[in-house]
Amino acid sequence: VCLTCCSRDVMVRIDQICHRNSIKFFTGDVFGYHGYMFADLGEHEFVEEKPKVAKVNPGVEDGPDTKKAKVDSSETTMVKKHVGFCQLKEALEVDWRAEKAKTALKRTTPDYFLLQ
């Protein structure tokens, strides 16, 4: 479900319905130079391709790099990942004075508070 140009209450209500029914939810809007986008993908599993790391044989090489793992970009491995997304209501109710939120505050653009 994708929503634009909706009130905050409508977005929260639709997201709660989608989350309960395992339906992916996106919302966003643009106000001149400022805009936002939110995604609630529920429990999301995906596969990521990573370069394979080769183990170094210490008996073959000398020097400071013998303990470092070498990356072979020609060989890759598939890694299964899992991400849990929060609901819009939870994201809007963050207490920015809490200790856990203080670290995220440094990475949050001031535009976020402007759009609030």
Side-chain angles (χ1 to χ4, degrees), residues 48-84:
E48 187 174 70
E49 189 174 16
K50 294 267 190 179
K52 206 172 216 177
V53 178
K55 294 182 181 176
V56 177
N57 185 351
V60 176
E61 296 181 29
D62 286 336
D65 294 334
T66 56
K67 293 182 182 175
K68 291 184 183 176
K70 298 203 178 198
V71 177
D72 182 5
S73 60
S74 63
E75 286 190 55
T76 59
T77 184
M78 303 305 268
V79 179
K80 189 174 183 178
K81 301 254 181 158
H82 178 270
V83 178

Side-chain angles (χ1 to χ4, degrees), residues 6-85:
C6 293
S7 71
R8 188 177 182 156
D9 293 337
V10 169
M11 289 186 290
V12 168
R13 191 171 70 240
I14 299 294
D15 179 42
Q16 288 174 335
I17 294 167
C18 289
H19 195 85
R20 236 185 344 260
N21 294 291
S22 300
I23 298 170
K24 295 178 181 358
F25 173 81
F26 297 89
T27 187
D29 217 331
V30 176
F31 308 100
Y33 291 110
H34 302 281
Y36 70 90
M37 190 288 261
F38 179 84
D40 176 1
L41 304 178
E43 298 298 318
H44 184 67
E45 290 186 353
F46 61 98
V47 177
E48 187 174 70
E49 189 174 16
K50 294 267 190 179
K52 206 172 216 177
V53 178
K55 294 182 181 176
V56 177
N57 185 351
V60 176
E61 296 181 29
D62 286 336
D65 294 334
T66 56
K67 293 182 182 175
K68 291 184 183 176
K70 298 203 178 198
V71 177
D72 182 5
S73 60
S74 63
E75 286 190 55
T76 59
T77 184
M78 303 305 268
V79 179
K80 189 174 183 178
K81 301 254 181 158
H82 178 270
V83 178
F85 285 75

